[in-house]
Amino acid sequence: MFPSRLIRFLLVPSGRSTCLGDLHCLTAFGGIIAIPLILSQGLCLQHDGLTQSHLISTIFFVSGICTLLQVTVGIRLPILQGGTFTLLAPSMAMLSMPEWTCPSWTQNASLVNTSSTEFTEVWQSRMRALQGSIMVGSLFQVFVGFSGLIGLFMRFIGPLTIAPTISLIGLSLFDSAGSSAGNHWGISSMTTALIILFSQYLRHISLPFPTYSRDKKLHTSRVYIFQILPVLLGITLSWLICFILTTYNVLPTDPDQYGYLARTDIKGDVIGQAPWFSFPYPGQWGVPTVSLAGVVGILAGVISSMIESVGDYHACARLSGAPPPPKHAINRGIGIEGLGCLLAGAWGTGNGTTSYSENVGALGITKVGSRMVIVASGVLMVVMGVFGKAGAIFTTIPSPVIGGMFMVMFGVISAAGVSNLQYADMNSARNIFIFGFSMFSGLVIPNWILKNPTAIATGVVELDQVLQVLLTTSMFVGGFFGFVLDNTIPGTKHERGILAWNKAHEDDSSNTLESGEVYDLPFGISSYLSSSSWLRYIPFCPPGAPSSLGGCGADAKSLEPKQPLGHPEPAQIIIGVAL
């Protein structure tokens, strides 16, 4: 018999699962659509709204599939999968190389014929190069996950490596945020102000919503809607205001005038052109190509994504009332995420997939950690990916509105990286030096290389390309210096923050009945595998039948989660939702 709280973790009525699933999907909305919109700049697609809509539909479709895989055979926690910013930085670095620089005519809307063969080849050749690099790089994550090597990686990676790596993801995207917001600072400032208002000032205000249950029938329940959906509410309200200003021609109609890009009709009739239903499929942009420089750059992003996901697993377990994830579940989760990146590369999203911190924060607010809720989210994202009009609608969001969202989103990502320093002793001159030097180097070196693209000339073209991609990827430069300095400069484990970091992410669940019910493989697979003693040595398989507590044959009712459901850690909720 399951513990009562664990029942709440596993089962939720189907109607409520659908509603909460919609909620989780909407929470991740901002991050999912931001990635293809940023990538479109490097892919020369700024003026092709229809193709942008296809990319948005594809990333929703793949995110839904990867979410279903992760919940059923992966980590098996209620955690959403979606596009990752850790792969965005090396992807943009790769697309900034001289051979992938967009032709000048693609930057002029009047010269772009989106249906021409020449234009199609321009952006598809870049997409195919990204696809191949992501697919090959994701194989490394698959190997690390299913082989159990992630534990070995985490022994050498501490807060002083993670902090500059994650922070520089947000800081390196300041140019994209500034370019989009600068198209109309009034609209972008309004969007930023609304998101801040909803996420910070109104987050403790609940609103009544009609709810139906078998016991209480139709009644009202109070929902912290501002805390759960601040980004969506801010974007939607700004979007609506831009639509009204466009309808009454308050915004300029001349493309050369400042503020024209705040209009909602500059993409033409993209909604009318988009098909009602469009089924994304692998290789839809052609056969992927592979370059050594692209693969090496993507590997840097993959490693960062793995480290971030391990922290998300533990946070998700705490907030959902589940026991800490055992090693076999973490290995399986990382392996499935690698498989998700492989699928994302094959389908052609131009990105990979990772666990979403936004979803983790939403768990603490809704106080329901159920797999069925996330399954409903996954199904909804697949449906949105097939429904072509949905992706087309998102492309009509004006760039200043997106820029206002970026101002908040990238700022929070940077701060979330710095928050890892809480585990290290920041009164130590050693740690201050390592963090400061890593951060500054991660900003200076890529900036100089971008301004001097011909400076790297070793005589070997392939090596030049590899160095160009790595040295223009801020997160790699900062993370590399942080890793090397932290592991070579003398310092105690307490000073480095390794002890506090390991304590916060330790695996103390052992092999209990409760852990088995949450993390074992579904459909009786674990029971079947436990019959073969040699399978316990496979890193991603459950170790076998769980032992009773203290050998006393304790009933499962006596097992309680270490973090009661509904008492989340406020910092995790704020960071997760704000992302």
Side-chain angles (χ1 to χ4, degrees):
M1 199 170 185
F2 297 133
S4 58
R5 285 173 181 160
L6 192 58
I7 291 176
R8 196 177 183 188
F9 170 81
L10 294 172
L11 300 173
V12 170
S14 59
R16 193 180 180 195
S17 294
T18 303
C19 294
L20 291 172
D22 295 346
L23 195 64
H24 277 280
C25 186
L26 293 174
T27 303
F29 158 85
I32 292 178
I33 69 165
I35 290 170
L37 293 178
I38 294 176
L39 270 178
S40 65
Q41 301 171 18
L43 294 172
C44 318
L45 288 172
Q46 299 96 317
H47 305 296
D48 188 357
L50 187 59
T51 301
Q52 288 181 21
S53 72
H54 291 325
L55 292 180
I56 292 174
S57 296
T58 301
I59 198 169
F60 268 112
F61 182 82
V62 174
S63 297
I65 292 177
C66 294
T67 296
L68 296 175
L69 285 174
Q70 191 68 268
V71 173
T72 52
V73 296
I75 187 68
R76 304 212 73 214
L77 284 169
I79 192 165
L80 204 74
Q81 303 292 292
T84 170
F85 285 99
T86 58
L87 295 189
L88 188 60
S91 297
M92 294 302 289
M94 174 184 167
L95 293 174
S96 67
M97 293 170 62
E99 58 264 40
W100 294 122
T101 302
C102 292
S104 58
W105 59 269
T106 62
Q107 310 302 305
N108 190 332
S110 61
L111 299 178
V112 173
N113 180 6
T114 57
S115 59
S116 68
T117 305
E118 182 183 9
F119 177 74
T120 301
E121 182 58 26
V122 165
W123 74 264
Q124 286 192 359
S125 61
R126 288 159 174 74
M127 175 60 81
R128 291 195 295 267
L130 270 183
Q131 284 184 257
S133 300
I134 292 170
M135 292 175 70
V136 174
S138 64
L139 294 177
F140 175 75
Q141 186 172 4
V142 173
F143 172 73
V144 169
F146 289 128
S147 65
L149 289 177
I150 185 63
L152 179 64
F153 271 54
M154 297 303 292
R155 292 183 186 178
F156 300 98
I157 297 175
L160 290 172
T161 302
I162 296 171
T165 302
I166 302 301
S167 294
L168 286 167
I169 293 173
L171 292 177
S172 64
L173 294 170
F174 76 93
D175 189 53
S176 295
S179 299
S180 298
N183 290 322
H184 195 297
W185 279 109
I187 297 296
S188 59
S189 298
M190 177 184 63
T191 306
T192 300
L194 286 172
I195 295 175
I196 294 173
L197 175 67
F198 296 145
S199 65
Q200 303 301 320
Y201 294 99
L202 301 181
R203 60 192 175 95
H204 294 306
I205 297 177
S206 60
L207 297 178
F209 278 84
T211 309
Y212 179 83
S213 65
R214 292 181 180 178
D215 298 331
K216 299 181 179 180
K217 302 301 180 182
L218 186 63
H219 64 286
T220 60
S221 59
R222 304 191 71 84
V223 179
Y224 292 92
I225 192 69
F226 298 118
Q227 192 173 4
I228 299 173
L229 301 174
V231 175
L232 181 64
L233 292 174
I235 289 178
T236 303
L237 192 54
S238 295
W239 192 3
L240 178 61
I241 292 174
C242 287
F243 175 76
I244 295 173
L245 295 178
T246 301
T247 302
Y248 290 97
N249 284 326
V250 176
L251 295 169
T253 56
D254 183 359
D256 296 327
Q257 279 190 280
Y258 178 78
Y260 171 75
L261 292 177
R263 296 182 65 90
T264 57
D265 59 356
I266 60 174
K267 298 290 177 65
D269 188 23
V270 64
I271 298 177
Q273 295 174 11
W276 280 100
F277 297 100
S278 175
F279 194 84
Y281 58 91
Q284 57 185 333
W285 317 127
V287 180
T289 59
V290 180
S291 68
L292 179 61
V295 171
V296 174
I298 292 299
L299 283 176
V302 164
I303 293 172
S304 301
S305 178
M306 288 190 292
I307 298 168
E308 187 181 6
S309 292
V310 172
D312 287 338
Y313 295 160
H314 285 272
C316 181
R318 284 195 297 270
L319 293 178
S320 60
K327 292 179 181 177
H328 69 85
I330 292 177
N331 295 339
R332 209 164 55 236
I334 295 297
I336 292 297
E337 281 195 20
L339 181 60
C341 287
L342 183 65
L343 295 177
W347 256 264
T349 64
N351 197 250
T353 60
T354 191
S355 298
Y356 258 34
S357 301
E358 300 95 314
N359 160 252
V360 176
L363 285 176
I365 299 169
T366 60
K367 300 179 182 178
V368 176
S370 168
R371 292 195 195 107
M372 291 308 300
V373 170
I374 305 302
V375 167
S377 296
V379 172
L380 177 62
M381 286 193 289
V382 170
V383 172
M384 290 179 67
V386 175
F387 185 59
K389 298 289 185 184
I393 291 172
F394 295 141
T395 64
T396 64
I397 303 176
S399 63
V401 175
I402 297 296
M405 177 186 70
F406 287 167
M407 297 283 287
V408 177
M409 182 180 295
F410 298 157
V412 173
I413 291 175
S414 301
V418 174
S419 70
N420 287 283
L421 295 176
Q422 65 182 299
Y423 301 106
D425 180 11
M426 292 314 292
N427 290 319
S428 165
R430 169 194 182 273
N431 293 349
I432 291 175
F433 165 75
I434 292 174
F435 178 70
F437 180 78
S438 301
M439 288 289 290
F440 199 68
S441 299
L443 294 172
V444 171
I445 294 176
N447 182 62
W448 187 85
I449 295 294
L450 287 172
K451 291 181 178 179
N452 302 272
T454 60
I456 301 177
T458 62
V460 181
V461 176
E462 290 77 10
L463 180 59
D464 290 348
Q465 293 176 341
V466 170
L467 293 175
Q468 178 81 16
V469 171
L470 290 180
L471 295 179
T472 53
T473 305
S474 296
M475 54 172 279
F476 169 77
V477 176
F480 174 78
F481 280 118
F483 174 80
V484 172
L485 295 175
D486 188 36
N487 283 279
T488 55
I489 298 177
T492 64
K493 287 188 175 181
H494 174 75
E495 182 182 18
R496 296 171 58 194
I498 299 295
L499 292 179
W501 175 262
N502 289 338
K503 184 178 180 181
H505 299 86
E506 65 184 356
D507 170 26
D508 58 352
S509 61
S510 66
N511 187 24
T512 63
L513 287 168
E514 186 178 291
S515 176
E517 296 294 351
V518 176
Y519 297 107
D520 282 359
L521 292 167
F523 314 122
I525 298 176
S526 292
S527 300
Y528 174 77
L529 294 178
S530 62
S531 61
S532 302
S533 58
W534 61 272
L535 286 173
R536 71 181 62 179
Y537 299 106
I538 297 179
F540 58 87
C541 286
S547 57
S548 58
L549 282 175
C552 301
D555 190 278
K557 273 187 176 182
S558 64
L559 298 172
E560 291 295 333
K562 298 181 175 48
Q563 171 71 22
L565 187 63
H567 294 79
E569 299 177 18
Q572 291 169 336
I573 296 174
I574 294 171
I575 291 174
V577 175
L579 280 173

